[in-house]
């Protein structure tokens, strides 16, 4: 009983770790039944690491955030080969979205990764949203639903499990849940009409996993975030929507929940609410064992039913079995290489106003290039590098927050902004620059403001291919 209970507790814990190889404590934990691990750019994900993990536990659920666009773990040094959800929504070609999902699945299949924490099924209903933005397919539930389904089908058709996030919907928020607890002020009726359709569609399409959002939604539960709410996780997601796959938390060290409870209490409350797997973005051996012991103690004290823990562990193992059964799909997708699909999508997503042609190296002023806590800070904006590859001697100036513009000379000027619609100070900086240089070109890599400048290019995504598509448009 005791050994089995401990093993069940380990199965539902899915930690991240430091280092480019599996630490000894992770290897020991895998031998003790650890159900999953989460990989990040810091792990330099590759075949040697994957072999280490699989050698200790062939059935471990290996998860990663590989959305494409802004959020990438495998291509953080260069920027993603895919333009991201907003760009795909702008193009609105579900076949193209499915192809992108399949190629991301191919990358993960080649590394033997079980689960992709993607796609974002959030409806970006609030233009001021600081953390979703271009990670969403768009502001319309119908648009987001059809592209969520296409992405899920592409990814799972490659034999890699998809994960629709962040349930019940992170789109109508003005707070980043990495930093504080966002509140969604919506009635149940509005949630049903606006936020839930993409999740309902994903469930009907057979999505294998859903990630909870650390969101306070008073219409569902005024006391605790959705991750810890039985009303949201069990009554709504399991009961009304009929989801029976693996439900995983967003990272529990995010301040939205970490500021309220200890890790052990978060874990126990989440499991009690109906969650199956606990994502811990960065864990330690002591921290992992403390969470395990908190689960075991809660079962022994009767505050967490053992049947609920067994059910959660069973869903983790069911996801692992689903992945094992799809080895043939992963082998098949290895031969289905389409390295150009991301660039094709990025080109199709460009929207331009005005006309400009760069025939010599410009001065690129990057007005704001820090995005959100979900984005690895090492991810480059890429516009400057893309222009420099076509026009050597391109020079870059990066503004500090609300900093002063540089002096302009005779060179062409390109202003690179991100989410100008969301930042008044960015729009003001652009206006000041255009007063001095009315011929300046504006490139927005996020949710754009109304076009200004001699030419305005909106990429609707931040990635290597989005930058290249914009650079090609400006120099052709």
């Amino acid at each position: 009983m005791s050994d089995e209970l401990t093993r069940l507790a380990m199965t539902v814990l899915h930690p991240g770790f430091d280092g480019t190889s599996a630490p000894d404590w992770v290897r020991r934990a895998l031998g003790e039944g650890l159900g999953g691990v989460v990989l990040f750019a810091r792990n330099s994900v590759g075949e040697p690491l994957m072999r280490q993990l699989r050698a200790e536990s062939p059935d471990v659920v290996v998860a990663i955030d590989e959305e494409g666009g802004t959020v990438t773990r495998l291509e953080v040094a260069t920027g993603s080969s895919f333009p991201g959800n907003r760009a795909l929504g702008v193009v609105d070609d579900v076949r193209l979205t499915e192809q992108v999902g399949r190629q991301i699945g191919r990358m993960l299949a080649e590394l033997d990764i079980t689960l992709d924490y993607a796609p974002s099924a959030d409806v970006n209903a609030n233009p001021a949203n600081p953390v979703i933005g271009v990670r969403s397919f768009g502001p319309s539930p119908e648009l987001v639903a059809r592209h969520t389904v296409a992405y899920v089908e592409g990814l799972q058709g490659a034999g890699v499990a998809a994960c629709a996030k962040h349930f019940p919907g992170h789109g109508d928020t003005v707070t980043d849940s990495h930093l504080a607890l966002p509140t969604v002020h919506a009635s149940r009726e509005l949630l049903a009409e606006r936020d839930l359709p993409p999740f309902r569609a994903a469930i009907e399409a057979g999505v294998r996993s859903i990630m909870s959002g650390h969101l306070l939604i008073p219409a569902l539960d005024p006391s605790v975030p959705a991750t810890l709410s039985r009303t949201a996780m069990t009554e709504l997601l399991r009961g009304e929507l009929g989801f029976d796959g693996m439900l995983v938390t967003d990272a529990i060290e995010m301040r939205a929940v970490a500021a309220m409870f200890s890790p052990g209490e978060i874990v126990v409350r989440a499991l009690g609410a109906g969650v199956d797997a606990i994502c811990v973005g960065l864990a330690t051996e002591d921290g992992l064992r403390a969470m395990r012991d908190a689960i075991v103690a809660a079962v022994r004290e009767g505050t967490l039913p053992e049947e609920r823990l067994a059910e959660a562990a069973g869903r983790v193992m069911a996801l692992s079995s689903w992945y094992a059964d799809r080895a043939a799909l992963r082998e098949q997708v290895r031969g289905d290489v389409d390295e150009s699909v991301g660039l094709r999508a990025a080109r199709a997503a460009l929207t331009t106003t005005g006309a400009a042609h760069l025939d010599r190296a410009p001065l690129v002023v990057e007005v704001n290039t820090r995005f959100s806590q979900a984005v690895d800070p090492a991810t480059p904006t890429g516009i400057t590098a893309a222009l420099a590859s076509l026009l050597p001697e391109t020079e870059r100036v990066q503004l500090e927050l609300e900093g002063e513009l540089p002096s302009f000379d005779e060179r062409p000027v390109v202003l690179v902004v991100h989410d100008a619609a969301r930042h008044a100070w960015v729009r003001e900086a652009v206006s000041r620059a255009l007063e001095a240089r009315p011929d300046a070109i504006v490139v927005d890599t996020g949710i754009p403001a109304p076009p200004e400048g001699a030419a305005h290019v909106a990429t609707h995504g931040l990635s290597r291919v989005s930058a290249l598509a914009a650079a090609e448009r400006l120099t052709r």
Side-chain angles (χ1 to χ4, degrees), residues 27-380:
R27 297 187 190 197
R28 286 193 295 271
L30 288 168
E32 296 166 8
L34 185 68
V37 295
V38 187
L39 302 181
F40 292 86
R42 64 175 180 257
N43 301 123
S44 297
V45 182
E47 291 184 9
L49 174 60
M50 292 304 303
R51 283 197 298 269
Q52 288 180 342
L53 296 170
R54 295 291 182 195
E56 299 295 337
S57 175
D59 299 329
V60 62
V61 172
V62 181
I64 197 167
D65 273 297
E66 192 62 39
E67 297 178 15
T70 311
V71 178
T72 176
R73 306 301 183 220
L74 299 179
E75 298 185 290
V76 70
T78 60
S80 177
S81 299
F82 308 96
N85 285 2
R86 181 68 171 222
L88 294 171
V90 167
V91 179
D92 198 13
D93 177 345
V94 290
R95 176 60 183 148
L96 183 64
T97 297
E98 182 182 356
Q99 290 170 342
V100 167
R102 182 170 176 81
Q103 289 304 307
I104 291 175
R106 178 183 61 78
M107 290 169 56
L108 302 181
E110 289 175 351
L111 288 168
D112 201 9
I113 291 173
T114 316
L115 171 64
D116 189 7
Y117 289 152
S120 167
D122 305 297
V123 178
N124 198 59
N126 192 330
N129 195 313
V131 68
I132 302 302
V134 292
R135 298 170 65 196
S136 164
F137 290 111
S140 155
E142 295 81 13
L143 174 76
V144 174
R146 62 177 172 265
H147 286 277
T148 294
V149 168
Y151 192 112
V152 167
E153 290 177 343
L155 191 62
Q156 294 191 167
V160 175
C163 179
K165 62 186 185 186
H166 307 79
F167 186 85
H170 206 321
D172 186 15
T173 60
V174 293
T175 303
D176 185 340
S177 51
H178 293 84
L179 305 175
L181 177 61
T183 299
V184 178
H185 300 284
S187 65
R188 273 193 175 244
E189 292 75 18
L190 181 56
L191 288 172
E193 293 171 7
R194 182 191 65 192
D195 297 287
L196 298 184
F199 293 99
R200 191 184 298 275
I203 292 166
E204 291 172 356
V207 72
R208 302 310 306 172
S209 180
I210 287 178
M211 177 180 283
S212 67
H214 301 322
L215 310 161
L216 185 66
I217 307 176
L220 294 178
D221 193 327
S223 58
V224 290
T227 296
L228 311 180
S229 168
R230 184 171 178 81
T231 303
M233 298 295 100
T234 296
E235 294 177 15
L236 178 57
L237 182 56
R238 301 291 191 198
E240 291 185 36
L241 271 63
F243 179 62
D244 195 39
M246 191 188 83
L247 175 53
V248 60
T249 69
D250 210 341
I252 65 166
E253 69 271 28
M254 293 165 65
R255 295 301 297 166
V257 289
M260 300 179 70
F261 304 108
S262 68
E265 191 168 358
I266 292 170
V267 168
V268 171
R269 283 173 174 264
L271 290 167
V275 167
D276 305 309
I278 309 296
C279 169
V280 189
L282 180 58
T284 63
E285 182 171 18
D286 289 346
L288 180 71
R289 300 199 182 284
M291 287 183 280
R292 176 203 65 189
D293 293 347
I295 296 170
V296 171
V299 173
R300 288 177 173 161
E301 292 165 3
T303 56
L304 177 66
E306 185 174 353
E307 307 80 57
R308 168 78 275 270
L309 177 60
E311 177 186 56
R315 288 202 180 103
V316 173
M317 292 184 283
L319 180 66
S320 176
S321 296
W322 179 93
Y323 179 79
D325 290 343
R326 280 152 183 79
L329 286 179
R330 293 190 294 280
E331 188 59 35
Q332 180 182 358
V333 80
R334 284 173 176 265
D336 184 18
V337 179
D338 185 356
E339 293 181 347
S340 67
V341 67
L343 182 56
R344 293 201 308 274
R347 287 168 175 159
L350 288 180
T351 54
T352 60
T353 304
H357 174 67
L358 291 172
D359 56 4
R360 55 198 174 107
L363 173 66
V364 179
V365 181
E366 294 183 356
V367 178
N368 62 323
T369 53
R370 182 69 183 101
F371 311 109
S372 83
Q373 297 292 315
V375 182
D376 192 302
T379 308

